[in-house]
Amino acid sequence: MPVIVIAAAPKLSAQNIAFNEVARQAITTDPDFHGGHYYDKGVVPVRGLRIARMIGHITYLSDEAMMDKFGRQLRRAALGFDFDIDFEVESYLRYQGDKFSSYFDANTYLRITKALDYFDPAADFDGDLAAAVERARAAFLVISFKSDWRFAPARSRELVKALLDARKIASYLEIDAPGGHDAFLMDDARYFGALRGYVGNIELCLPPNRRCSPRGPISPLWRAGYRRGRACSTSVAATARCSSTCGRRARRRDTGWRSTTRRWWPASRTTSTSCSSTWKAAYRCSGTAPSTP
């Protein structure tokens, strides 16, 4: 079955670890933390949780999204020249902090962020991410958002490159959306269309069964993106946009999305992948389906 990776990275950057550490310090230095035994004292480190959540929310939004949503709108009629709320963005962050601290456990937050910091699939392979994914048997769809500065597209492309170096089936979609990291939660037609197109083809191959739906037997090598009578690259753009028009002749078409491409039937009769060094937006279709090895 395919693996779908959205707005993520193979491992956290130093900047991401730094944000997590500031959030942890906000919690552990709260007088009500009591070394993690706050329930024994009948209290909760509310202040620390509030600040941790406020920090996190800033990283989830892009500068453009925050300006569009809040700008410099005032919460009250005039500047108060005090330390109460003046701007709408301040009110929003405080609201998110208050809500989060009312239901989320502080020790859980500390351990989740530490787990994120420690995660590094290449650590046991001398830092070689391609070697780390070598054993993967799934096809991959990787999606990133251009405005996401916490998990930037460059980090997603790092994963895709490793998958391609390991000769895995990988599709990549980079969406120009203004929402920052939270863009993966937004209603975006390109995002949803790509997911529908990709997920809609998952049933075409379910190893180890070599039969793929009523269309007939197909080798497990030909996964998402392939339909009997036509074939497309693993570019998710192709999966989302390919139609009967690509069943007659090979063509290359600009989709407006950045995506990898895949060669469907190399001379060796084994699946291989290729990745454009410039990550150009394109897909390929061919009217001849590959024969079953």
Side-chain angles (χ1 to χ4, degrees):
M1 294 294 289
V3 173
I4 300 178
V5 182
I6 304 173
K11 61 184 176 184
L12 292 192
S13 65
Q15 184 188 59
N16 274 321
I17 294 173
F19 279 124
N20 285 345
E21 174 59 10
V22 173
R24 286 192 295 265
Q25 284 296 310
I27 293 171
T28 57
T29 57
D30 187 316
D32 288 332
F33 183 65
H34 296 289
H37 302 286
Y38 41 86
Y39 289 134
D40 294 341
K41 304 293 184 179
V43 294
V44 174
V46 171
R47 284 168 289 186
L49 279 168
R50 284 174 179 163
I51 295 172
R53 184 58 168 173
M54 291 167 72
I55 293 168
H57 247 286
I58 294 170
T59 69
Y60 302 151
L61 298 174
S62 68
D63 181 53
E64 180 182 356
M66 294 188 79
M67 284 300 296
D68 287 345
K69 189 170 185 176
F70 306 109
R72 290 179 55 85
Q73 298 177 48
L74 295 178
R75 182 69 174 173
R76 44 188 175 174
L79 296 175
F81 295 97
D82 53 26
F83 298 106
D84 201 355
I85 296 174
D86 283 309
F87 298 96
E88 285 287 355
V89 67
E90 294 175 310
S91 175
Y92 171 78
L93 290 175
R94 293 194 191 189
Y95 167 75
Q96 292 295 337
D98 289 341
K99 184 173 69 171
F100 185 77
S101 64
S102 68
Y103 66 83
F104 207 91
D105 177 65
N107 281 325
T108 301
Y109 189 95
L110 296 177
R111 282 157 176 77
I112 287 176
T113 56
K114 266 297 183 182
L116 289 170
D117 291 352
Y118 290 158
F119 180 75
D120 181 2
D124 294 333
F125 298 88
D126 296 323
D128 188 344
L129 186 58
V133 301
E134 180 67 35
R135 293 176 293 177
R137 302 184 63 185
F140 287 78
L141 167 61
V142 181
I143 299 176
S144 68
F145 298 89
K146 189 174 181 180
S147 61
D148 184 356
W149 58 274
R150 181 149 197 185
F151 295 97
R155 306 306 311 285
S156 291
R157 295 198 292 268
E158 179 184 339
L159 173 59
V160 173
K161 182 181 184 302
L163 290 167
L164 295 175
D165 288 345
R167 300 176 67 81
K168 303 302 174 182
I169 299 174
S171 303
Y172 176 63
L173 171 62
E174 182 176 314
I175 302 175
D176 188 3
H181 182 62
D182 271 358
F184 83 97
L185 298 171
M186 306 302 180
D187 186 354
D188 186 286
R190 297 161 297 177
Y191 175 39
F192 287 177
L195 284 175
R196 279 193 296 267
Y198 191 86
V199 173
N201 277 330
I202 288 177
E203 65 176 359
L204 294 180
C205 275
L206 300 174
N209 184 357
R210 293 168 66 87
R211 297 192 63 191
C212 302
S213 76
R215 296 185 179 89
I218 302 173
S219 164
L221 287 175
W222 317 116
R223 294 196 165 95
Y226 170 72
R227 293 182 181 277
R228 192 168 183 79
R230 77 175 78 99
C232 300
S233 72
T234 54
S235 156
V236 72
T239 303
R241 297 281 296 276
C242 187
S243 63
S244 59
T245 57
C246 71
R248 293 186 178 275
R249 66 181 184 276
R251 63 182 60 186
R252 186 175 183 88
R253 181 179 301 170
D254 184 0
T255 65
W257 296 337
R258 297 182 180 182
S259 53
T260 65
T261 59
R262 172 185 168 207
R263 294 187 298 272
W264 275 97
W265 39 89
S268 64
R269 293 172 63 86
T270 59
T271 304
S272 69
T273 52
S274 64
C275 175
S276 170
S277 60
T278 56
W279 300 91
K280 291 183 179 179
Y283 74 80
R284 296 175 180 176
C285 295
S286 172
T288 305
S291 60
T292 303

